[in-house]
Amino acid sequence: MQTNDKLVIGGKEFQSRFILGSGKYSLKLIEAAVKYAGAEIITLAVRRANTKEQENILDYIPEGVTLLPNTSGARNAQEAVRIARLARELGCGNFVKVEIMRDAKYLLPDNQETIKATEILAKEGFVVMPYMYPDLNVARDLVNAGAATVMPLASPIGSNKGLATREFIQILIDEIDVPIIVDAGIGKPSQACEAMEMGAAAIMANTALATAGDLPVMASAFRQAIEAGRQAYLAGIGRVLTRGASASDPLTGFLHD
Amino acid sequence: MQTNDKLVIGGKEFQSRFILGSGKYSLKLIEAAVKYAGAEIITLAVRRANTKEQENILDYIPEGVTLLPNTSGARNAQEAVRIARLARELGCGNFVKVEIMRDAKYLLPDNQETIKATEILAKEGFVVMPYMYPDLNVARDLVNAGAATVMPLASPIGSNKGLATREFIQILIDEIDVPIIVDAGIGKPSQACEAMEMGAAAIMANTALATAGDLPVMASAFRQAIEAGRQAYLAGIGRVLTRGASASDPLTGFLHD
Amino acid sequence: MQTNDKLVIGGKEFQSRFILGSGKYSLKLIEAAVKYAGAEIITLAVRRANTKEQENILDYIPEGVTLLPNTSGARNAQEAVRIARLARELGCGNFVKVEIMRDAKYLLPDNQETIKATEILAKEGFVVMPYMYPDLNVARDLVNAGAATVMPLASPIGSNKGLATREFIQILIDEIDVPIIVDAGIGKPSQACEAMEMGAAAIMANTALATAGDLPVMASAFRQAIEAGRQAYLAGIGRVLTRGASASDPLTGFLHD
Amino acid sequence: MQTNDKLVIGGKEFQSRFILGSGKYSLKLIEAAVKYAGAEIITLAVRRANTKEQENILDYIPEGVTLLPNTSGARNAQEAVRIARLARELGCGNFVKVEIMRDAKYLLPDNQETIKATEILAKEGFVVMPYMYPDLNVARDLVNAGAATVMPLASPIGSNKGLATREFIQILIDEIDVPIIVDAGIGKPSQACEAMEMGAAAIMANTALATAGDLPVMASAFRQAIEAGRQAYLAGIGRVLTRGASASDPLTGFLHD
């Protein structure tokens, strides 16, 4: 089905609702993400962008793809702001994913420092996409601080555990007016599909692709699942019965009735 | 992605893994199922096929689509066998979905009568696709009786409740050598996708489409979700962490580390 | 809380709703089940009851405890009937748990053979408690065949996986008039508690106790969890909100409101 | 089973692991909580404690029960601190539950303001028990600020939805060294039992009791379920099989084997 349904972030329009999360920038993963998953946004750890090794990696990014530098490695707002500015100086554009972690075991975002960095960077003209632990009060603060989207985690990054925060991501979708992009923890296409059915605006993934047996095929699966979930959301999902069954055929009933 | 992956039932090859379950045969539903969900098999309650009203319905079925008459209304093996034979006489072909229900509230299949009907019909040359309550011993009996596929329910028909029998459908997929087609109860594309990721061969649905807000869009969503789940299954899904997280980027770690 | 709430099977009254499933009859397990879990019914594999080794085991069973011989090892109705008769001859009483398995990997009960054995044994005056795969049609047949209770599995025996058949056990509880005793797969007290909250009449367990770190303490935990679930069922569980929250305190609201 | 297992908060020992959350202080609820649920700690909205109406309510609190004033109604740290001090002046002791909410629809705690209030009150000698949204970084900050316990919500308050934050409460239990008390959203004894099996130190509830059909019986059910969960945690829960089954009886196997 062709639709005019588009994802808009920072005034820019995207057809695709799959975003490649930061990770191993193998040529193979980037190719698969763009060619098979249809990614139009690719996340990149900025620390890699100013090394010789990284120059090659930037060469891999196809034209027309929006680069989303992230502040991976930052432990507080100040470090994140510094990384974001460096990214812009390096020519990575004005989109930035704020990612601030204090916790080395679960790699959970520091919501409070993320709010601070978002406020500073939004004022400097960045399109700020903050990675966050799904907390309604924090999401409101992020929007007030100028966030262009809110990016709650589904479960701990790299875990492939799926929608452990389902209930609270639904609350964000219901209450927050910027696009909700589910980031981290999505392990299977069906989970991406479910998040989209709930009303998420997009899905960010990396580990689910990187750990799959066949990368291009899994990339293609994610693209289709995300499109399916979006369509289902737009179509309107049918009611669920609490008890009993319902014959779909009005003629159902027994032969001799 | 183009693949040579095909669903084979009774020696016949199908590209599509979505089967339209029996239900209200509105022109709109059949059109949506074929055009947007890509259905190549459409179920039809036989009792409708010998009425004047039904002649019109048969006219709706596009060329190239395999008709799957079902024995809806049958309360025992004998009635099911009679309906199946009638269907063949009416020119509906030799595929038949055996559907025997005793229970009017939950419309759960009668496994034992289904085995009996399957045995008789398979001997008469039918391609028998039995609807069943997911029970490993029964699935084995059905295969021994000559079933071409086994069609376990996900949850009570028309309930849109999803994979309530998940654990036991997985056992069927792991242990039974004919295609496992998940039938009844699938309410959302994400559930169809998950069943396919588990290794189901196809999905049958009707109510999920019929109760959706926008039928063609939901039909399209199901097609994509089913293809996504199939691809994910073929690609091989990545490992799930029990505890902790895993940085997808080998460079992840803190700035001053 | 003291109540007059009793479990009645075959005209016999029980205070306890924990039944010790068949398993390793170590002195320790039997003691724990009776002393700490409050078991008044203990299952015993009949094949052990006519060996010298078993004579010791029968000695372990405290007075006042009802022995529930099972037909473990039977692969069809005929074998089960033979074992049940043997048990009665050996003085094990007229209670019998019919347990017929064809499948060595998942050890799932053969519903159809179980119906046959139940019918024969009920006519011979046994109090028949059939172990079954939770299927409403089969449960009805078992009751018609004279079953005193119906014993659906929660998940594969010994798996500790919990209520994988939740949806269908609820249907049995709602539709079947004899006590529904959840048997096999219950791995934790919270799962036993949930089954009781749903309206189950009793819980049978063995592996959950046998694999626990501290057997007597886990036995005690099961007893309390089962009593808790029963009380909650009798008390009536409160409504669940679909969305939003509800201040429990009518004074909740903000200071300056 | 008698054990020496005790809950210690602020140097004070408690036998009971059920805490009555704040709510409608009907005589009936307090009586049920103390008599049937065994509550030794009862939460009280401080705003009620300085009214005439409230004087009666304080009279209801039995001797030996620890009063836990909460800061319900506070929208920021400053207001919470003021309420806490008022409570101490009114003779409510030095325990305080910090509860700061900005959000009127979901009543979710404001983690950041809660950290601030905790720090101030802990320095003033209060035993601070902060209600919080389960976020590992915040829990660490609360402990560093001097919190005596951490009280994460299970799901939105009053919703009876259960352990929607299961995954993240487990992380708190695994990583945080003060008692984790699960507060808000627990709707059934089985859910309280599960939280205790996971290693929670105690459960706070109110709505689950207040909305039950029979208050004293439900109170008793909660007490038993919480004790059961605690015992199961201490005993050590058995392994769960990923696939297959496991005969509990070493003699299981077929008759003619």
Side-chain angles (χ1 to χ4, degrees), chain C residues 77-180:
Chain C
Q78 200 184 358
E79 288 179 6
V81 167
R82 186 152 48 87
I83 296 172
R85 288 172 182 156
L86 175 65
R88 190 151 60 179
E89 284 164 26
L90 288 167
C92 293
N94 66 339
F95 275 62
V96 67
K97 180 184 173 200
V98 173
E99 196 177 308
I100 301 174
M101 293 163 184
R102 269 194 290 169
D103 156 49
K105 184 168 178 188
Y106 293 96
L107 298 164
L108 296 170
D110 183 320
N111 278 346
Q112 205 52 30
E113 290 295 311
T114 301
I115 296 168
K116 287 183 207 164
T118 296
E119 188 162 19
I120 295 167
L121 293 169
K123 280 183 184 151
E124 296 184 6
F126 282 92
V127 176
V128 188
M129 300 171 66
Y131 174 54
M132 55 96 67
Y133 185 76
D135 177 325
L136 176 59
N137 290 316
V138 171
R140 288 201 170 116
D141 288 346
L142 287 169
V143 172
N144 290 338
T149 67
V150 169
M151 306 182 72
L153 59 91
S155 51
I157 193 165
S159 71
N160 280 351
K161 272 189 158 172
L163 285 165
T165 54
R166 179 185 283 105
E167 191 73 28
F168 298 92
I169 286 180
Q170 186 66 67
I171 291 176
L172 297 192
I173 290 169
D174 293 347
E175 303 293 325
I176 299 294
D177 281 336
V178 300
I180 304 299

Side-chain angles (χ1 to χ4, degrees), chain D residues 7 10 77 115 135 170 201 204 210 217:
Chain D
L7 171 64
I115 295 167
D135 176 327
Q170 186 66 67
M204 181 173 281
V217 176

Side-chain angles (χ1 to χ4, degrees), chain D residues 9-191:
Chain D
I9 304 173
K12 211 163 170 175
E13 288 190 350
F14 302 92
Q15 291 286 345
S16 165
R17 291 174 181 274
F18 173 83
I19 302 176
L20 183 63
S22 65
K24 288 187 258 183
Y25 278 87
S26 70
L27 186 54
K28 205 177 156 199
L29 181 64
I30 291 178
E31 273 184 356
V34 173
K35 188 167 172 193
Y36 299 107
E40 293 171 9
I41 303 177
I42 293 184
T43 315
L44 177 72
V46 177
R47 286 178 302 154
R48 309 187 70 168
N50 58 347
T51 65
K52 280 186 182 166
E53 180 205 358
Q54 188 54 37
E55 289 171 322
N56 298 329
I57 286 167
L58 284 172
D59 293 344
Y60 294 165
I61 311 291
E63 262 186 76
V65 165
T66 296
L67 203 63
L68 176 59
N70 71 33
T71 65
S72 170
R75 273 177 293 198
N76 53 47
Q78 199 184 358
E79 289 179 5
V81 167
R82 184 152 49 88
I83 297 172
R85 288 173 183 157
L86 176 65
R88 190 150 61 177
E89 285 163 26
L90 288 167
C92 292
N94 65 340
F95 275 62
V96 67
K97 181 185 172 199
V98 172
E99 197 177 309
I100 301 175
M101 293 165 184
R102 268 194 291 168
D103 156 49
K105 184 167 177 187
Y106 293 96
L107 297 166
L108 297 170
D110 183 320
N111 278 346
Q112 204 54 29
E113 291 294 311
T114 302
I115 295 167
K116 287 184 207 164
T118 296
E119 188 162 18
I120 294 167
L121 293 169
K123 279 183 185 153
E124 296 184 6
F126 282 92
V127 175
V128 187
M129 300 172 66
Y131 174 54
M132 56 95 68
Y133 185 76
D135 176 327
L136 176 59
N137 291 316
V138 171
R140 287 202 170 115
D141 288 346
L142 288 168
V143 172
N144 290 337
T149 67
V150 169
M151 306 183 73
L153 59 92
S155 50
I157 193 166
S159 70
N160 279 352
K161 272 189 158 172
L163 285 165
T165 54
R166 178 185 285 105
E167 191 74 28
F168 298 93
I169 286 181
Q170 186 66 67
I171 291 176
L172 297 192
I173 290 169
D174 293 348
E175 303 293 326
I176 299 294
D177 281 335
V178 301
I180 304 299
I181 299 177
V182 176
D183 183 11
I186 293 292
K188 296 190 294 184
S190 59
Q191 296 161 353

